[in-house]
Amino acid sequence: MSERFASGYNNFVLPFLIGMAFVITYCLVALVRILLQLPAEDRKRFLKSLITPKTMLKNVKDIFCDCLLHVKIWKRNKLLGYMHSSIAFGWFMLIVIGHIEVLLYTPHRAKLLYYPIFFRYFVAETESTMEGAVLFFLMDFFLLMVLSGITLAIIKRIRSRLFGMRRTTRPSFLDMIGLYSLWAIFPLRLLAEGFTANISGGSFLTKSLNHLFSAFLSDTTNVLPCWWAYSCALCVFFVVLPFTRYMHIPSEILLIPMRNAGLKIRNARKGLAKAQVYSCPGCGLCIDACPMSVQKANTRDTTVYLNRQIRRNNEERIEEISDKCLLCGKCTAVCPVGVQGDRLRIAQRSVRRYGINPDYTLIDTAPLTTDSRGKVLYYAGCMTALTPSIKKAMESLLRKAGVEYELMDKDGGICCGRPMWMAGRIKEAMQMIVKNTEIIRSSGADTLLLTCPICYRIFKERYKLDGIRIVHHTEFIDELISQGRLRVSAGDRTYVYHDPCELGRGCGIYEQPRNVLRHAGTLVEAAKNRKESICCGGSVGSLSLGLDKRRVMTENALSNLTVASPDVIVTACPLCLNTFARYADRKVEDLAETVDRNAA
């Protein structure tokens, strides 16, 4: 082994060093600011989680799977998954192997930050050792992997439909600079290493390129322009990274441990919310997922564009995008980095209503002291009250099963608070929560039964009802059937089940309603179901979406539900039922109505 230059330095490393110094400084300052923006309790919890062995292992696993291998994208779209993971994991392995080479061959240069990046220029090496042969092969292999990912990224930018994406994000000017510099980095590296492969070592890729150069070029000794270009491309990418969607690369490394520490969004623009906004990769998966994007005009109202406007502090567009959203949560369900688009919008709305960030903690209530003896308290809620057939069917089922129950809002009641919460009116919602909590605790019941997913979700997430079980009627009916307290006869009808947003994506209830329907008849599935279910369009989450646009979304959801030609569309949400019933060409009913008709 012989060193090409005794100093181990050349001026072409300066652009790389400048870019690297800038991005590291920026990220460290941003990290400190985000941590200081967290409430003291959350900051303590986060820092404690970093030294908790179980959480530490989960952090490492999630960072490896989500940031490098992009497992979540692989599960949704294998071609997109390979594209992202080949670039991220391939680049990571090039850095790792580069450092291994330095430690093996020039350990005295290990302290030089730039040395592993430009190792092929400074060191002339042969394949006289097995370590060299293996490392040369691995470097070429991972470089080829990255180049294949870059090629797919270029094709995706031109023809996104080949990747199963109807629409992609329109990049900003700085995004384009970051994109083109990223695309240039690895082809330039291949050229630079190809020129030096005959003296510094190489494998199947770089040596083949070197032979090609030797055959067509009379002079292959002047390689500095390629190394300068490679270094400059790295510099440009690092300098624009904090101001582009590529900021998601370092931001996600912070977001993952914050999420694993159990932190919640408490401030619309700071702390966890800021980490989520900057972790958005701008991949555009949320665009096709959003029910509003069935109309092209609403594409710019999706979560990826909300995050962009928050970064730009464009208050007018932030308000417009936040208010229009249905809060169906599908963008959150499909986001590969876990950006909570629905919660970000609620936080934005609350700031606009109050001018401050409200406290998002649970109501602190006293422990259950009433004499609970298995009594069920049935809270129908506002939406069920507007659909009396659901309440009638549910009460009929309770009587058939011999369940002792009391109707909480028999003479009218207080709203659960979720519509207010979704509108950003957190203080008003909290007042309703306090009053309802008093009523529930004084009832003597130990089970709270809901037929509305909107109510169910806020009771699960925001009420502190220790000692009282909160159950949706899909769960309760499934239990009554499995316990033999309800006998359901299967008919000859074919049913399709619509997963309501608040019940499915919001609370994770997918199987119980399907279990119930299998007792009543033949169950078929929609084209997109469970967490991919399409919102009915009637959500109370939107504050500004007109009826004409909602109708287009409802008709799109109905088309999705009827691909298998079911006789009846069944849902478990009074709002979905009323919305679908307006435009459906077949019967739409609630799960309780279906079971009541078939139950003895």
Side-chain angles (χ1 to χ4, degrees), residues 224-449:
L224 282 177
C226 289
W227 289 101
W228 269 102
Y230 172 50
S231 181
C232 288
L234 286 167
C235 176
V236 171
F237 181 73
F238 290 145
V239 169
V240 302
L241 182 145
F243 315 107
T244 67
R245 66 188 191 182
Y246 298 104
M247 187 59 183
H248 81 89
I249 299 171
S251 296
E252 191 180 357
I253 297 174
L254 171 64
L255 179 61
I256 287 172
M258 292 178 80
R259 184 171 61 237
N260 289 341
L263 303 190
K264 307 294 182 183
I265 294 177
R266 298 179 185 273
N267 190 304
R269 305 285 177 87
K270 298 179 179 179
L272 178 62
K274 189 171 186 178
Q276 288 198 16
V277 167
Y278 279 87
S279 294
C280 175
C283 60
L285 288 176
C286 60
I287 297 177
D288 283 348
C290 180
M292 293 192 298
S293 68
V294 69
Q295 300 170 91
K296 190 175 181 180
N298 291 330
T299 298
R300 292 293 186 106
D301 298 318
T302 50
T303 297
V304 64
Y305 288 106
L306 171 65
N307 293 332
R308 180 181 292 183
Q309 300 307 323
I310 292 175
R311 293 178 65 168
R312 295 174 177 175
N313 293 315
N314 187 343
E315 297 297 337
E316 183 178 349
R317 281 292 288 144
I318 292 171
E319 178 179 351
E320 182 182 359
I321 296 174
S322 297
D323 283 356
K324 191 177 291 185
C325 178
L326 293 159
L327 300 182
C328 73
K330 194 169 182 182
C331 58
T332 301
V334 304
C335 180
V337 300
V339 174
Q340 297 171 304
D342 50 343
R343 295 179 186 269
L344 284 173
R345 283 174 170 84
I346 293 174
Q348 297 300 326
R349 293 176 182 182
S350 66
V351 169
R352 193 167 69 254
R353 300 289 184 272
Y354 304 111
I356 58 172
N357 290 280
D359 184 7
Y360 275 48
T361 55
L362 295 170
I363 294 293
D364 188 15
T365 55
L368 183 65
T369 56
T370 54
D371 183 16
S372 300
R373 298 178 180 176
K375 188 171 73 173
V376 172
L377 184 65
Y378 173 28
Y379 178 78
C382 308
M383 298 300 170
T384 302
L386 295 173
T387 317
S389 59
I390 297 177
K391 183 170 70 171
K392 180 180 178 181
M394 191 65 233
E395 290 195 85
S396 173
L397 289 175
L398 291 172
R399 289 191 294 270
K400 289 177 180 179
V403 176
E404 180 189 358
Y405 76 97
E406 179 183 336
L407 187 59
M408 177 175 163
D409 45 354
K410 177 174 59 176
D411 300 317
I414 300 170
C415 176
C416 65
R418 178 137 180 92
M420 281 291 185
W421 193 284
M422 297 168 84
R425 298 185 179 277
I426 311 300
K427 291 180 181 178
E428 291 86 343
M430 286 294 195
Q431 293 171 357
M432 296 175 181
I433 291 172
V434 170
K435 185 61 180 177
N436 279 325
T437 299
E438 293 174 358
I439 296 172
I440 294 167
R441 289 202 172 281
S442 64
S443 70
D446 63 1
T447 298
L448 179 65
L449 173 64

Side-chain angles (χ1 to χ4, degrees), residues 83 152-160 163 168-171 176 179-180 183 245-246 282-283:
M83 185 193 80
L152 289 174
I154 295 172
I155 296 172
K156 172 179 169 289
R157 178 54 52 186
I158 300 171
R159 296 284 294 177
S160 62
F163 292 75
T168 57
T169 314
R170 290 188 179 182
M176 292 300 292
L179 183 68
Y180 291 142
W183 287 355
R245 66 188 191 182
Y246 298 104
C283 60

Side-chain angles (χ1 to χ4, degrees), residues 470-527:
I470 302 167
V471 59
H472 190 257
H473 76 307
T474 54
E475 301 173 284
F476 200 68
I477 294 172
D478 184 39
E479 291 173 4
L480 292 176
I481 293 174
S482 64
Q483 293 168 2
R485 299 176 69 181
L486 269 181
R487 295 183 180 180
V488 182
S489 302
D492 57 0
R493 292 187 177 186
T494 301
Y495 301 98
V496 65
Y497 176 69
H498 166 71
D499 292 281
C501 305
E502 298 282 282
L503 188 64
R505 284 186 291 270
C507 300
I509 294 180
Y510 297 113
E511 298 307 322
Q512 294 93 328
R514 287 175 169 80
N515 292 340
V516 171
L517 283 177
R518 291 187 186 99
H519 286 86
T522 302
L523 176 66
V524 296
E525 291 289 354

Side-chain angles (χ1 to χ4, degrees), residues 15-31:
F16 165 77
L17 289 174
I18 292 170
M20 180 60 71
F22 174 79
V23 75
I24 289 176
T25 302
Y26 188 99
C27 289
L28 288 175
V29 172
L31 171 63

